Amino acid sequence: MNWSRQRNEHVRSDCEELLARFQQTDSVRFENFSRIWREMKFGQIFYGTAGREKRAFSRLVLDVAFVYFLPPFSFQIRVGGLYLIYGLYRCQTASPRVGIRVALKDWEDVLGFQKDALGARHLDAVFVLRQLRFQRAFHFTATPRALTFERRAKEARSQLGNKFVARASGPQELLDRDAMEELSNVHELYGRLKSSVYSPAQRERLGVDLTRENLPARLRGHVVGFHGWQKRERQEASDGDEGVSEGTSARAESSRRARLLSSIKSKAYGQAAEACKSRRHRQVEVDAGDSSGPAPPKGRSTSRRVSLKARTHENVRIAGEMWKEATTPTSINRLTAVDRGPEAKKEGRS
């Protein structure tokens, strides 16, 4: 498993090196990409694989390269990712060729990329994508990667890959000079329409702020502030890359110590819990204060509780004639008759 992960990282680093060189050309032409491909001899990446390893390695390389064809990477990097998977698909040594795994949720992004490239007249990218579709190179699946047991849900992205991500430049592109002028005209018209609802006297009396003053200028100020924040963040990210190697070793050492302390604590608490569980049936021993005699043997007490009959004979004391009557059984003819009173006796005699 570790060997497969290391091979994945090596393939990722090679792909990012190729895309970084392609990014420096500031172009999306396939001619520039193919020149870098030949200089790096990237087609030889499949050399050295044999047997069943051909298909497994081809699937790994295509999965790694296809990530750069999807958002959130910039348009130039996505074009480079398209050229990359096209070259890898054509150069693989497996027969039949391994398809490019595409999840259904990612196909909308692929179609959107084709539409954008066609609208911008980047015919190289459109031609390569149509060639892949014509050759049926895409293998549509439910998930981007094959599901395996205990697979990490999110893989760490390398520091170089973060430089490929497209920055949010939508607000800067929208608020150009023409857009700001049109926004000012619309805002002025909107203010006149809302002011016609109340008279000046009613607005002063009610204190209603119908429109915001200088809204276009405020909006442009916020956009400029956002653009400055982007520049500062990019500069801090580039400065922080220099200390990545030093910080990685320190974090690894601290995490190793944290795991060691956690294992020691878990072992200690586990032994304490087992000891308490083994002592729960033992009775508490009370020190009588006399240590001269031999210590009583340890163990569970075997004394039995005295029955109710025995305790009654022991505690109740009856003397004289009452004891004799209590010990002899009572006959039915000796039972006392119910006293009915003098009126009942007269009726009985009559």
Side-chain angles (χ1 to χ4, degrees):
M1 187 67 180
N2 294 331
W3 176 75
S4 178
R5 189 176 300 172
Q6 290 178 359
R7 185 171 61 175
N8 191 350
E9 293 298 329
H10 293 330
V11 173
R12 189 185 302 275
S13 63
D14 293 340
C15 293
E16 290 182 351
E17 177 65 23
L18 175 62
L19 293 176
R21 295 187 183 184
F22 180 68
Q23 189 179 26
Q24 293 176 359
T25 61
D26 197 15
S27 172
V28 293
R29 302 275 76 84
F30 184 75
E31 180 182 1
N32 298 329
F33 180 86
S34 60
R35 177 176 51 82
I36 300 173
W37 177 282
R38 290 191 298 269
E39 290 176 357
M40 296 183 62
K41 298 180 180 180
F42 213 85
Q44 301 179 4
I45 192 173
F46 296 102
Y47 290 4
T49 57
R52 297 181 179 178
E53 190 180 358
K54 289 183 178 181
R55 300 190 64 82
F57 185 70
S58 299
R59 187 177 296 107
L60 171 66
V61 172
L62 290 174
D63 289 345
V64 172
F66 185 75
V67 175
Y68 300 101
F69 182 45
L70 299 175
F73 296 105
S74 62
F75 184 80
Q76 184 185 9
I77 296 300
R78 294 184 65 184
V79 173
L82 174 63
Y83 297 158
L84 180 60
I85 60 176
Y86 176 74
L88 293 174
Y89 178 77
R90 299 282 298 177
C91 294
Q92 61 177 305
T93 57
S95 181
R97 291 175 178 173
V98 178
I100 303 170
R101 189 182 181 94
V102 182
L104 295 178
K105 67 181 183 64
D106 298 331
W107 186 244
E108 295 294 333
D109 297 330
V110 175
L111 296 180
F113 171 83
Q114 181 180 3
K115 183 179 180 180
D116 295 340
L118 187 60
R121 306 296 295 174
H122 298 310
L123 302 182
D124 295 0
V126 176
F127 175 78
V128 171
L129 182 57
R130 288 185 177 180
Q131 283 293 316
L132 290 175
R133 297 182 64 179
F134 178 75
Q135 297 175 9
R136 297 182 179 180
F138 294 113
H139 176 58
F140 297 98
T141 58
T143 57
R145 299 290 182 89
L147 298 180
T148 56
F149 182 68
E150 291 185 350
R151 183 180 180 87
R152 292 179 298 177
K154 182 179 181 181
E155 296 183 357
R157 183 183 297 172
S158 62
Q159 296 294 329
L160 185 59
N162 291 331
K163 297 180 181 179
F164 296 157
V165 177
R167 296 290 179 178
S169 58
Q172 293 91 316
E173 295 176 357
L174 291 176
L175 295 180
D176 54 358
R177 180 175 298 178
D178 296 337
M180 291 297 298
E181 184 178 357
E182 185 68 21
L183 182 61
S184 300
N185 295 333
V186 172
H187 181 66
E188 184 179 357
L189 178 61
Y190 178 74
R192 288 200 302 268
L193 291 176
K194 292 202 72 174
S195 299
S196 62
V197 177
Y198 294 102
S199 62
Q202 290 178 342
R203 287 201 300 269
E204 293 179 1
R205 180 170 54 85
L206 297 176
V208 180
D209 188 8
L210 297 179
T211 58
R212 293 181 179 272
E213 298 181 358
N214 300 327
L215 178 62
R218 290 183 181 181
L219 185 59
R220 186 167 184 81
H222 289 306
V223 172
V224 172
F226 174 74
H227 185 62
W229 171 80
Q230 273 191 338
K231 283 186 176 181
R232 291 193 300 271
E233 184 186 18
R234 191 177 305 177
Q235 184 66 27
E236 291 176 0
S238 60
D239 296 341
D241 291 342
E242 300 177 357
V244 168
S245 58
E246 298 179 359
T248 303
S249 59
R251 287 195 298 270
E253 181 66 21
S254 61
S255 63
R256 187 184 65 82
R257 292 186 60 186
R259 288 195 300 268
L260 181 59
L261 292 174
S262 178
S263 62
I264 293 174
K265 290 181 179 180
S266 62
K267 289 180 181 178
Y269 290 144
Q271 293 177 359
E274 292 177 358
C276 295
K277 184 177 180 181
S278 62
R279 295 193 186 99
R280 64 183 181 181
H281 295 296
R282 296 185 182 179
Q283 295 184 358
V284 181
E285 298 178 1
V286 182
D287 189 6
D290 186 9
S291 59
S292 59
K298 296 181 179 180
R300 185 182 297 178
S301 177
T302 57
S303 60
R304 299 179 61 184
R305 189 175 181 181
V306 183
S307 63
L308 178 61
K309 184 177 180 181
R311 284 185 277 121
T312 303
H313 281 290
E314 183 180 356
N315 297 330
V316 179
R317 299 296 181 182
I318 304 175
E321 295 295 334
M322 293 182 64
W323 172 256
K324 184 177 180 180
E325 292 180 2
T327 54
T328 56
T330 304
S331 300
I332 296 177
N333 56 4
R334 296 183 62 183
L335 292 175
T336 306
V338 180
D339 189 4
R340 299 181 180 178
E343 298 179 357
K345 290 180 181 180
K346 292 180 180 179
E347 292 178 0
R349 290 176 184 177
S350 61

